[in-house]
């Protein structure tokens, strides 16, 4: 059992199904790993040891009774702390929700429990999912297992780092502007953003409601597809949920793993093919493109002229929606309350609570969003940004008329040292330069490791049309079969 933490989720599930290992043994091994290394990684904000072992025992009991187990039964999973978990602290990494325990599970969590997965705990993140480095967590940053002095990406750095540190074989993240894919890229793991509406937002603490998308994180493409198939599907409790069958992403990943891309057309995004990326990132990306050509894929250059406006459009749309969504945190109904001494007005208590409870990046985005929505500026800022969003969607639609998927680097640079970008928000925002267009469009995209630059992981992004999530898994798995997975340096227990 000493090597179980290094196994893939599919391998772990096979061990449990065959009886070669119990779910309790697997859970214990991962919990012990967390206890040994997480003081240095800080991937978790809360570890639910008792709940995990209880869930594992339930799986073992089902197997003992001869009941059929699902494909991920007994497999441990880490969940980003922006997703509601009944009776388990859910803080969105903010002081304003410190200690809050939801009375219900998010749909994604319900489906994880129904599938028999074992939830280990809640992972660290940038506060309210606003950030690209996990440095904006109110509870301290997560460290990248590849180099503990560097960021693990954001906002979902905790989920990605838990995989790279072998604390969990699977994790759940959320992607608003790249918060699954960018951490995956800089930690050498796989991060997939499903089609918007393909996974339910019910129980997800809202940042930007027209962009937020829960999705799977794993160490390889097949595991990500298995997790995707468990959490995806229509949900009547989410008004934006798509009432269509989930594409067979697992079959697509397994097809791609055969290494045959004959007849597949890849669109190389001209606007993302060079400008702004580090030389080592571009070199790894170009080598990967060549590897895909050798597998039979055809590569054509595609121009998406409005992609260059995606970053400014996003930083008007997302903060505007955040300004509206975060108004609910008022110190009245739940969470932190400051200054309620009987002598202050409701408005004073709200102001004191928000000042104490929200961190600097959250305040920055609320102010920006409130300004963009204000009378006299709505049409000039938010309205114009939505028009740009329409033009970006048209770029995608036009591109997919001639190619099956689009490809680009996931992020322009490798993991950067802590503190190197926090003083300049714009430099931080550039981390999501290549990932944001997909969110504005609503389609699926995946980041898969494609090599190293200066000893640090580089991510390769595959973008597909809406509800064609299977296409991205096929191409990503094919690339993985050609270049292999990455193994981070060992963190000795």
């Amino acid at each position: 059992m000493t090597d179980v933490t290094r196994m893939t989720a599919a391998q772990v599930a096979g061990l449990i199904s065959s009886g070669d290992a119990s779910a309790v043994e697997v859970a214990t091994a991962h919990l012990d790993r967390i206890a040994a290394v997480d003081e240095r990684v800080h991937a978790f904000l809360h570890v639910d040891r008792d709940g995990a072992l209880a869930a594992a025992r339930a799986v073992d009991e089902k197997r003992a009774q001869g009941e059929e187990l699902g494909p991920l039964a007994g497999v441990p999973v880490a969940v980003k702390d922006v997703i509601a978990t009944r009776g388990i602290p859910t803080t969105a990494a903010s002081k304003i929700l410190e200690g809050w325990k939801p009375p219900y599970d998010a749909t994604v969590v319900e489906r994880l429990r129904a599938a028999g997965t074992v939830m280990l705990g809640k992972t660290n993140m940038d506060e309210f999912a606003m950030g690209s480095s996990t440095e904006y967590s109110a509870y301290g940053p997560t460290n990248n297992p590849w180099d503990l002095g560097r960021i693990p990406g954001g906002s979902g750095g905790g989920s990605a780092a838990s995989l790279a540190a072998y604390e969990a074989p699977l994790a759940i993240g959320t992607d608003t502007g790249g918060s699954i894919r960018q951490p995956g890229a800089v930690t050498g793991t796989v991060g997939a953003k499903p089609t918007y509406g393909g996974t339910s937002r019910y129980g997800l603490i809202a940042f930007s409601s027209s962009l937020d998308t829960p999705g799977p994180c794993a160490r390889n493409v097949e595991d990500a597809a298995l997790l995707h198939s468990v959490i995806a599907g229509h949900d009547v409790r989410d008004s934006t949920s798509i009432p269509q069958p989930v594409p067979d992403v697992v079959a697509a990943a397994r097809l791609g793993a055969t290494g045959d891309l004959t007849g597949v057309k890849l669109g190389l995004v001209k606007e993302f093919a060079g400008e702004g990326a580090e030389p080592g990132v571009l070199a790894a990306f170009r080598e990967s493109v060549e590897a895909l050509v050798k597998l039979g894929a055809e590569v054509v250059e595609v121009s998406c002229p409005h992609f260059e406006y995606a970053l400014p459009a996003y930083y008007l749309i997302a903060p505007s929606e955040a300004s509206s969504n975060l108004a609910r945190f008022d110190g009245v109904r739940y969470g932190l309350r400051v200054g309620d001494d009987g002598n202050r007005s409701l408005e004073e208590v709200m102001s004191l609570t928000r000042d104490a409870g929200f961190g600097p990046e959250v305040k920055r985005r609320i102010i920006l969003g409130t300004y963009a929505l204000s009378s006299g500026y709505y049409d000039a800022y938010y309205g114009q940004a939505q028009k740009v969003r329409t033009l970006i969607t048209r770029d995608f639609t036009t591109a997919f008329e001639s190619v099956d998927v689009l490809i680009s680097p996931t992020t322009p640079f490798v993991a950067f040292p802590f503190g190197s970008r926090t003083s300049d928000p714009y430099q931080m925002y550039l981390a999501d330069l290549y990932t944001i267009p997909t969110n504005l469009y609503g389609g699926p995209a995946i980041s898969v490791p494609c090599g190293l630059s200066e000893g640090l992981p580089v991510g390769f992004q595959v973008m597909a049309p809406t509800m064609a999530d299977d296409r991205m898994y096929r191409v990503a798995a094919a690339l993985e079969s050609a270049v292999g997975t990455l193994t981070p340096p060992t963190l000795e227990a």
Side-chain angles (χ1 to χ4, degrees), residues 299-372:
V299 177
V300 297
E301 189 173 76
V302 174
S303 178
C304 298
H306 299 99
F307 278 21
E308 65 178 291
Y309 306 113
L311 193 70
Y314 173 88
Y315 279 102
L316 285 169
I317 293 169
S320 295
E321 295 184 6
S323 170
S324 175
N325 279 322
L326 270 62
R328 72 193 64 180
F329 301 105
D330 54 15
V332 176
R333 286 163 288 191
Y334 49 81
L336 181 71
R337 182 182 298 176
V338 175
D340 186 13
D341 58 5
N343 297 315
R344 290 186 171 93
S345 68
L346 175 61
E347 288 76 13
E348 287 177 304
V349 172
M350 282 186 185
S351 179
L352 289 168
T353 298
R354 289 167 174 165
D355 182 51
F358 289 141
E361 181 63 19
V362 173
K363 290 175 182 174
R364 181 183 297 120
R365 298 200 193 191
I366 289 173
I367 292 168
L368 177 61
T370 303
Y371 180 78

Side-chain angles (χ1 to χ4, degrees), residues 32-113:
D32 289 348
R33 174 69 179 173
I34 293 168
V37 304
D38 203 57
E39 185 175 344
R40 282 170 287 163
V41 178
H42 194 218
F44 285 86
L45 291 179
H46 177 80
V47 177
D48 184 22
R49 187 178 186 90
D50 292 342
L53 292 174
R57 282 192 292 270
V59 172
D60 289 335
E61 289 170 5
K62 283 186 176 181
R63 186 187 176 280
Q65 293 167 7
E67 294 185 34
E68 185 176 349
L69 300 180
L72 289 180
V75 179
V77 61
V79 177
K80 188 177 180 181
D81 198 36
V82 75
I83 296 171
T85 45
R86 179 168 49 85
I88 298 171
T90 302
T91 69
S94 177
K95 291 293 185 183
I96 209 163
L97 279 176
E98 188 169 14
W100 182 61
K101 295 181 180 180
Y104 67 100
D105 278 331
T107 296
V108 166
V109 174
E110 285 183 352
R111 291 176 178 175
L112 289 173
R113 295 192 196 278

Side-chain angles (χ1 to χ4, degrees), residues 162-322:
S162 72
L163 302 172
Y166 297 103
E167 296 175 307
L170 297 173
I172 296 293
T174 62
D175 197 305
T176 305
S179 292
I180 289 175
R181 290 162 287 155
Q182 186 254 1
V186 300
T187 59
T189 57
V190 175
K193 173 213 171 296
T195 295
Y196 177 79
T199 50
S200 174
R201 291 186 299 109
Y202 178 78
L204 168 63
I205 297 174
F207 162 19
S208 181
S209 300
S210 73
L211 301 167
D212 298 339
T213 308
C217 312
R219 286 194 292 267
N220 65 62
V221 176
E222 183 186 9
D223 283 358
L226 286 165
L227 185 54
H228 186 141
S229 67
V230 164
I231 64 174
H234 183 238
D235 178 17
V236 296
R237 294 174 296 186
D238 177 1
S239 62
T240 58
S241 180
I242 300 173
Q244 291 182 24
V246 180
D248 194 344
V249 294
V250 176
R254 289 171 178 165
L255 174 62
T258 64
D260 183 8
L261 288 180
T262 303
V264 176
K265 278 191 173 184
L266 311 178
L268 179 63
V269 180
K270 178 183 176 182
E271 288 73 16
F272 289 168
E275 186 177 347
E278 292 176 347
V281 170
L282 281 179
F285 173 72
R286 288 167 180 161
E287 288 175 11
S288 297
V289 173
E290 292 173 7
L292 292 174
V293 171
K294 290 178 181 177
L295 298 179
E298 178 186 351
V299 177
V300 297
E301 189 173 76
V302 174
S303 178
C304 298
H306 299 99
F307 278 21
E308 65 178 291
Y309 306 113
L311 193 70
Y314 173 88
Y315 279 102
L316 285 169
I317 293 169
S320 295
E321 295 184 6

